């Protein structure tokens, strides 16, 4: 079964709740229809982007999957829906709605979709409560979080109980870059927050996870980073050099960072065959998952072809396209 692990969804304009009406002013996501098959996404009063109905239409999604040769998608909320800025009670209500919505989509076509939830990490206790609801009631085995959720880096001690709860519930963690982004004002042209900012943000998040000792403390944590780890594979040699040269880099870990990198999963989204080959070399053939970022414009249109073009052994291609995802999700699929 060919699995696209990295895809996103948003409820249709008529199903997205009026969170401003429920919780008061804020940067709440909302959709305004601009055509029969499209809507404008707003965060509060700021327009973000025009979305085609494939973001919410299962019929469109299934047609695109068939065209791409994808048998199953793992669907997660578009990253802007996490609302880490919101008060904890409101944030949990948003997460609960989105998780139930995704569970409904999966239940409608369990042969074609698996789910990935979200949690209100601005309040770790509420996040753990929602995580248990995800795994227990909804039987969803993966959760998407931001690269710096609610302003906390991934090695923040406050997040350690959440990561432990992910292990305890058997939930895999998918880290997707979200605000804040490295670069600030320097990224404000040419769509650079996404094109350049996201890979840099991911590299920082992965480095903090490793050097901060999260995997040293929790080696059983199953964690995956979007966009092939962003810039991380290219800076890993420098991070190893820092470990050798700087005492503070050795404060929380007992081995060089590249050894922990082999414990981390990444998706295969590089848009460049030699880069994907390099990513497999750095993380391992068993740690890369097929992912497209569907249906965003910076997604991969031909995911299987892109992997086949990377000059990898046939067994590695099969593992990335079909096999590794089930080890990551646990229980053999």
């Amino acid at each position: 079964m060919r699995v696209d692990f990295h895809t996103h969804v948003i409820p249709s304009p008529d199903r997205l709740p009026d969170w401003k009406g429920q919780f008061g002013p804020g940067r709440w996501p909302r959709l305004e229809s601009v055509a029969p098959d499209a809507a404008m996404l707003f965060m509060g009063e700021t327009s973000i982007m025009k979305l085609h109905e494939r973001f919410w239409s299962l019929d469109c999604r299934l047609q695109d999957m068939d065209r791409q040769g994808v048998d199953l998608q793992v669907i997660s909320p578009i990253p802007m829906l996490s609302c880490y800025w919101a008060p904890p009670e409101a944030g949990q209500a948003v997460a609960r709605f989105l998780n139930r919505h995704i569970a409904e989509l999966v239940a409608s076509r369990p042969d074609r979709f698996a789910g990935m939830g979200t949690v209100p990490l601005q309040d770790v206790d509420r996040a753990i409560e929602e995580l248990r609801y995800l795994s227990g009631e909804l039987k969803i085995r993966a959760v998407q979080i931001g690269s710096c959720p609610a302003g906390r880096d991934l090695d923040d001690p406050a997040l350690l109980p959440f990561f432990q709860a992910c292990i305890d519930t058997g939930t895999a963690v998918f880290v997707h870059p979200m605000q804040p982004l490295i670069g600030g004002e320097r990224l404000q042209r040419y769509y650079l927050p996404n094109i350049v900012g996201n890979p840099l943000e991911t590299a920082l998040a992965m480095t903090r996870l490793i050097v901060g000792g999260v995997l040293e403390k929790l080696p059983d944590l199953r964690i995956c980073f979007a966009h092939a780890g962003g810039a991380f594979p290219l800076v890993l040699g420098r991070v190893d050099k820092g470990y050798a040269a700087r005492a503070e880099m050795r404060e929380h870990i007992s081995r060089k960072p590249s050894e922990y990198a082999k414990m981390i999963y990444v998706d295969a989204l590089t848009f460049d065959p030699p880069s994907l080959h390099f990513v497999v070399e750095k993380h391992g053939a068993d740690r890369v998952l097929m992912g497209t970022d569907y249906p965003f414009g910076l997604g991969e249109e031909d995911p299987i072809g892109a992997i086949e073009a990377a000059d990898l052994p046939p067994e590695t291609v099969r593992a990335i396209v079909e096999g590794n995802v089930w080890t990551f999700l646990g229980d053999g699929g």
Side-chain angles (χ1 to χ4, degrees), residues 12 20 22 24 105 123 138 177 205 222 243 259 311:
S12 60
K20 178 181 177 181
Q22 293 182 42
L105 297 181
D123 183 313
L138 300 183
R222 300 196 309 275
Y243 175 81
E259 294 187 35
D311 192 27

Side-chain angles (χ1 to χ4, degrees), residues 33-306:
S33 295
V34 294
D37 63 349
M40 182 63 68
L41 172 64
F42 286 81
M43 298 298 293
E45 299 306 313
T46 303
S47 63
I48 303 299
M49 65 180 70
K50 183 179 178 181
L51 301 181
H52 186 268
E53 65 177 336
R54 60 174 52 90
F55 274 87
W56 55 84
S57 166
L58 290 193
D59 288 340
C60 290
R61 187 171 291 255
L62 288 165
Q63 291 173 14
D64 290 341
M65 290 168 64
D66 290 343
R67 175 176 51 80
Q68 293 175 335
V70 170
D71 298 312
L72 184 139
Q73 281 188 351
V74 181
I75 50 176
S76 61
I78 65 170
M80 292 83 90
L81 298 181
S82 292
C83 297
Y84 291 138
W85 57 266
E89 183 177 357
Q92 187 170 14
V94 171
R96 181 64 56 94
F97 172 83
L98 293 171
N99 292 335
R100 285 174 171 168
H101 177 71
I102 286 173
E104 289 175 8
L105 297 181
V106 172
S108 73
R109 288 299 304 267
D111 58 323
R112 302 303 302 270
F113 301 114
M116 186 186 306
T118 184
V119 294
L121 268 174
Q122 59 268 59
D123 183 313
V124 173
D125 289 340
R126 287 180 182 270
I128 293 172
E129 180 182 335
E130 193 63 24
L131 186 74
R132 289 173 177 153
Y133 178 77
L134 270 177
S135 62
E137 297 297 321
L138 300 183
K139 309 302 180 186
I140 290 176
R141 290 153 43 196
V143 62
Q144 176 181 266
I145 69 171
S147 51
C148 187
R152 294 186 177 106
D153 283 297
L154 298 185
D155 62 325
D156 190 311
L159 293 179
L160 202 64
F162 170 75
F163 289 133
Q164 181 64 61
C166 290
I167 296 172
D168 295 342
T169 59
T171 305
V173 182
F174 180 51
V175 183
H176 197 289
M178 303 178 191
Q179 294 289 350
L181 287 170
I182 293 174
E185 294 299 321
R186 297 176 66 201
L187 292 175
Q188 295 312 306
R189 298 183 66 186
Y190 314 119
Y191 205 59
L192 293 184
N194 194 327
I195 295 170
V196 173
N198 278 349
L200 296 177
E201 175 72 14
T202 301
L204 175 59
M206 294 177 75
T207 304
R208 291 288 299 246
L209 181 87
I210 291 172
V211 177
V214 177
L215 297 178
E216 179 89 4
K217 297 181 184 78
L218 303 176
D220 294 329
L221 180 68
R222 300 196 309 275
I223 190 165
C224 176
F225 286 79
H227 311 137
F232 179 77
L234 281 171
V235 302
L236 182 53
R238 188 174 181 86
V239 176
D240 271 354
K241 178 62 176 178
Y243 175 81
R246 300 291 305 185
E248 62 263 52
M249 291 283 284
R250 301 188 294 273
E251 183 178 350
H252 301 294
I253 55 177
S254 59
R255 294 172 285 156
K256 63 182 183 179
S258 56
E259 294 187 35
Y260 298 92
K262 297 288 188 179
M263 302 165 66
I264 295 174
Y265 290 82
V266 295
D267 69 25
L269 195 59
T270 64
F271 308 107
D272 177 61
S275 295
L276 178 56
H277 197 283
F278 183 70
V279 167
V280 171
E281 177 185 332
K282 292 298 180 182
H283 287 278
D286 62 338
R287 298 282 159 162
V288 183
L289 316 176
M290 184 167 72
T292 63
D293 218 348
Y294 177 92
F296 282 104
L298 282 180
E300 176 58 68
E301 289 291 327
D302 182 15
I304 298 171

